[in-house]
């Protein structure tokens, strides 16, 4: 994989061919792992800032004058902005370079953090809180640019592991900020949210500095509007976006809403809620690389289908616990949802490059041509899939909001989620197991090799 024009300065790498085993063993793997390490750290801080309002609402007692529906809408605002900025963040990697954009995107996290530091007190208008919550959406964009960047560094056979580790390390930013909130509430009380915000300012600066000093740009990665147009026209982009709503949308939506559900439905205090909210996101983040590794070994579609079947079953447990008002059973079911969504996150993202690699082989490509096609289309589609998937988090929070407004309980919301997981099961089986990508390409009239990459 070679660039069309050399770029000077700024840690640009002109030649990058991870599918070449000699290149990978001599220099590629070491460089890719180094970039992965600092990408994880920057994305981790981005997720913490994106999920900031999932813990800020725990600090907002009666003196703030905001009801549960208003708090759910604050969280939803951060979610939808984070989803929307994922598309431009994806293409920024090719425009500015992965290392350069990591530095910029890390520094942008200062805006929502300083903003919250200034306004987080009783008497601030709800509109001001909404504006600052919207700013935290830039943290959600970090995921898309980070995943697009790391996707280009690794060969296909290691993408499941690498993308799972990158995303999982970033996702852990959600439980970490919740643990820091627990520490602040438990020691200083719910009246001191600025202590949490102040702790993140030096971490943001550290993420930007380390990216500037230790990461690299890949010159062969160029803006390719043709790839973007092709990804938009490709049905698999939108099928995978739908499935990612079910996996990642569940993870981020539940992460943002968990503490507020515990307070609203089960009457937990801020300290009691904060002491429980981090468990699910932590386990879901830790298992995401496992989902990617299992997908590398057994095929992403099989692992994804299994995850959705189990998520439907866990949701049934949550519905039962919600009706019976059993907090212990509710926690078991809800934490299981986090773990299973994390597993599905890893497997669905592994499916993306595998799908486009299979399509390349089905079109008669081979070797570096097939690998380049797969990297080109999967990189272009990842931002779109990530953006649509993150909107699932918005949907979850809006469904919760309506459920609590209408009935004072989240039971109706969970019944809705159960139906959606059933649809995800059906789509995964119908598109990727009953009728694989390679078979579809063959029926369309293109040549296919006897044995193709499984997705």
């Amino acid at each position: 994989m070679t660039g069309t024009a050399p770029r000077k300065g700024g840690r640009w790498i002109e030649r990058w061919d991870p599918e070449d085993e000699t290149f990978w063993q001599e220099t590629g793997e070491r460089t890719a792992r180094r970039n992965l390490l600092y990408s994880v750290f920057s994305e981790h801080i981005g997720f913490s800032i994106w999920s900031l309002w999932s813990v800020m609402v725990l600090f907002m007692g009666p003196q703030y004058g905001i009801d549960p529906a208003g708090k759910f809408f604050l969280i939803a605002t951060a979610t939808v902005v984070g989803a929307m900025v994922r598309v431009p963040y994806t293409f920024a990697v090719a425009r500015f370079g992965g290392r350069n954009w990591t530095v910029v995107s890390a520094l942008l996290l200062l805006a929502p953090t300083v903003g919250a530091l200034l306004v987080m007190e009783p008497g601030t208008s709800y509109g001001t809180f909404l504006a600052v919550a919207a700013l935290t959406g830039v943290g959600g964009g970090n995921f898309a640019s980070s995943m697009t960047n790391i996707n280009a560094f690794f060969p296909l056979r290691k993408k499941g592991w690498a993308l799972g580790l990158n995303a999982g390390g970033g996702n852990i930013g959600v439980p970490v900020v919740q643990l820091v909130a627990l520490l602040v509430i438990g020691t200083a009380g719910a009246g001191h949210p600025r202590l949490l915000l102040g702790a993140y300012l030096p971490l943001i600066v550290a993420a930007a500095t380390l990216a500037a000093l230790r990461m690299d740009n890949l010159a062969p990665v160029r803006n390719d509007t043709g790839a973007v147009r092709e990804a938009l026209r490709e049905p698999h982009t939108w099928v995978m976006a739908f499935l990612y709503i079910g996996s990642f949308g569940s993870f981020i939506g539940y992460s943002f809403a968990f503490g507020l559900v515990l307070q609203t439905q089960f009457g937990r205090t801020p300290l009691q809620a904060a002491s429980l909210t981090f468990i699910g996101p932590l386990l879901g983040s830790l298992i995401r690389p496992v989902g990617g590794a299992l997908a590398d070994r057994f095929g992403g579609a099989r692992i994804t289908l299994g995850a959705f079947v189990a998520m439907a079953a866990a949701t049934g447990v949550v519905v039962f616990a919600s009706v019976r008002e059993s907090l212990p059973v509710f926690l078991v079911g809800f934490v299981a949802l986090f773990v299973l969504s994390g597993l599905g996150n890893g497997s669905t993202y592994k499916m993306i490059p595998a799908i486009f690699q299979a399509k390349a082989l089905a079109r008669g490509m081979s070797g570096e041509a097939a690998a380049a096609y797969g990297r080109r289309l999967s990189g272009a589609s990842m931002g779109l899939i990530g953006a649509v998937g993150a909107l699932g988090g918005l949907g979850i929070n809006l469904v919760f909001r309506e459920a609590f407004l209408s009935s004072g309980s989240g039971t109706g919301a969970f019944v809705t989620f159960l139906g959606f997981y059933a649809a995800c099961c059906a789509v995964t089986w119908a598109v990727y197991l009953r009728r694989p990508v390679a078979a579809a390409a063959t029926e369309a009239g293109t040549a296919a090799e006897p044995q193709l990459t499984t997705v």
Side-chain angles (χ1 to χ4, degrees), residues 40-57:
V40 166
F41 179 57
S42 179
E43 188 191 339
H44 174 95
I45 303 301
F47 260 96
S48 291
I49 300 306
W50 188 27
S51 56
L52 200 57
W53 285 89
S54 71
V55 294
M56 285 295 102
V57 295

Side-chain angles (χ1 to χ4, degrees), residues 78-90:
T79 307
V80 70
V81 175
M84 291 171 61
V85 301
R86 285 185 168 196
V87 176
Y89 267 58
T90 298

Side-chain angles (χ1 to χ4, degrees), residues 57 83 106 111 130 150 185 195 301 328 430:
V57 295
L130 275 177
I150 293 304
I185 294 173
L195 292 176

Side-chain angles (χ1 to χ4, degrees), residues 362-436:
R363 291 182 178 186
M365 301 180 190
S366 62
E368 172 57 21
Y373 177 88
R375 284 194 296 270
R376 175 175 173 264
L377 268 295
S378 61
S381 66
M382 277 182 175
L384 300 170
I385 293 168
V388 176
L391 287 174
L394 169 66
I396 280 179
N397 282 282
L398 291 180
V399 171
F400 271 133
R401 180 178 183 272
E402 290 304 312
F404 281 106
L405 275 176
S406 61
S407 66
S409 169
T411 303
F414 290 115
V415 172
T416 301
F417 305 149
L418 178 58
F420 186 79
Y421 297 143
C424 289
C425 290
V427 169
T428 305
W429 177 80
V431 179
Y432 297 115
L433 292 173
R434 182 183 68 86
R435 187 171 179 267

Side-chain angles (χ1 to χ4, degrees), residues 113-387:
T113 310
V114 172
L117 195 66
L118 294 175
V119 308
M120 197 63 197
E121 60 186 20
T124 300
S125 69
Y126 186 71
T128 302
F129 283 131
L130 275 177
V132 176
L135 279 177
T136 62
V138 297
N142 284 21
F143 172 85
S145 56
S146 179
M147 293 293 275
T148 299
N149 186 39
I150 293 304
N151 180 60
F153 272 97
F154 284 83
L156 179 65
R157 67 186 181 280
K158 291 186 177 290
K159 284 186 190 292
W161 171 83
L163 293 173
L165 189 62
N166 188 57
N171 291 170
I172 289 177
V174 178
V176 167
V177 75
Q178 292 170 344
L179 278 169
V180 177
L182 171 61
L183 177 64
V184 171
I185 294 173
T187 56
H192 296 84
R194 288 187 171 93
L195 292 176
L196 182 150
L197 297 164
Y200 271 89
L201 293 176
L203 294 175
I204 292 170
V205 174
T209 302
L210 289 170
L213 296 176
R214 300 293 294 158
M215 291 186 72
D216 303 291
N217 301 302
L218 295 181
V221 178
R222 291 286 195 269
N223 256 341
D224 187 346
T225 55
V228 176
R229 288 194 297 269
E230 194 169 343
L232 284 167
R233 292 194 300 266
E234 172 56 58
H236 288 289
T237 298
W238 302 109
V239 174
M240 289 306 303
F242 177 79
L243 297 181
Y244 203 55
I245 289 174
S247 60
F248 180 76
S250 295
F251 173 83
I252 200 65
Y254 292 148
S255 296
F256 283 18
F258 193 16
L260 199 49
V261 170
L262 291 174
Q263 281 189 290
T264 306
Q265 183 161 343
F266 290 96
R268 300 296 93 181
T269 66
L271 180 59
Q272 290 170 331
S275 66
L276 296 170
T277 52
F278 74 93
I279 299 172
L282 176 62
L283 295 176
S285 301
L286 290 174
I287 204 169
R288 182 163 183 159
V290 177
L294 288 173
D296 282 339
R297 183 173 180 181
F298 299 108
R302 294 188 183 95
I303 303 302
T304 298
L305 178 59
F308 281 132
V309 169
M311 286 175 73
T315 305
V317 172
V318 171
V319 171
F320 171 82
S322 183
V323 172
R324 293 297 185 91
E325 298 183 352
S326 172
L327 180 58
V329 176
F330 181 86
L331 289 174
V332 169
F334 214 109
V335 170
L337 278 172
F338 277 110
V339 172
L340 295 165
S341 67
L343 197 71
N345 284 339
S347 61
T348 50
Y349 245 75
K350 161 61 181 179
M351 289 172 68
I352 300 168
I355 286 167
F356 289 110
Q357 177 82 349
K359 288 180 69 68
L361 295 173
R363 291 182 178 186
M365 301 180 190
S366 62
E368 172 57 21
Y373 177 88
R375 284 194 296 270
R376 175 175 173 264
L377 268 295
S378 61
S381 66
M382 277 182 175
L384 300 170
I385 293 168

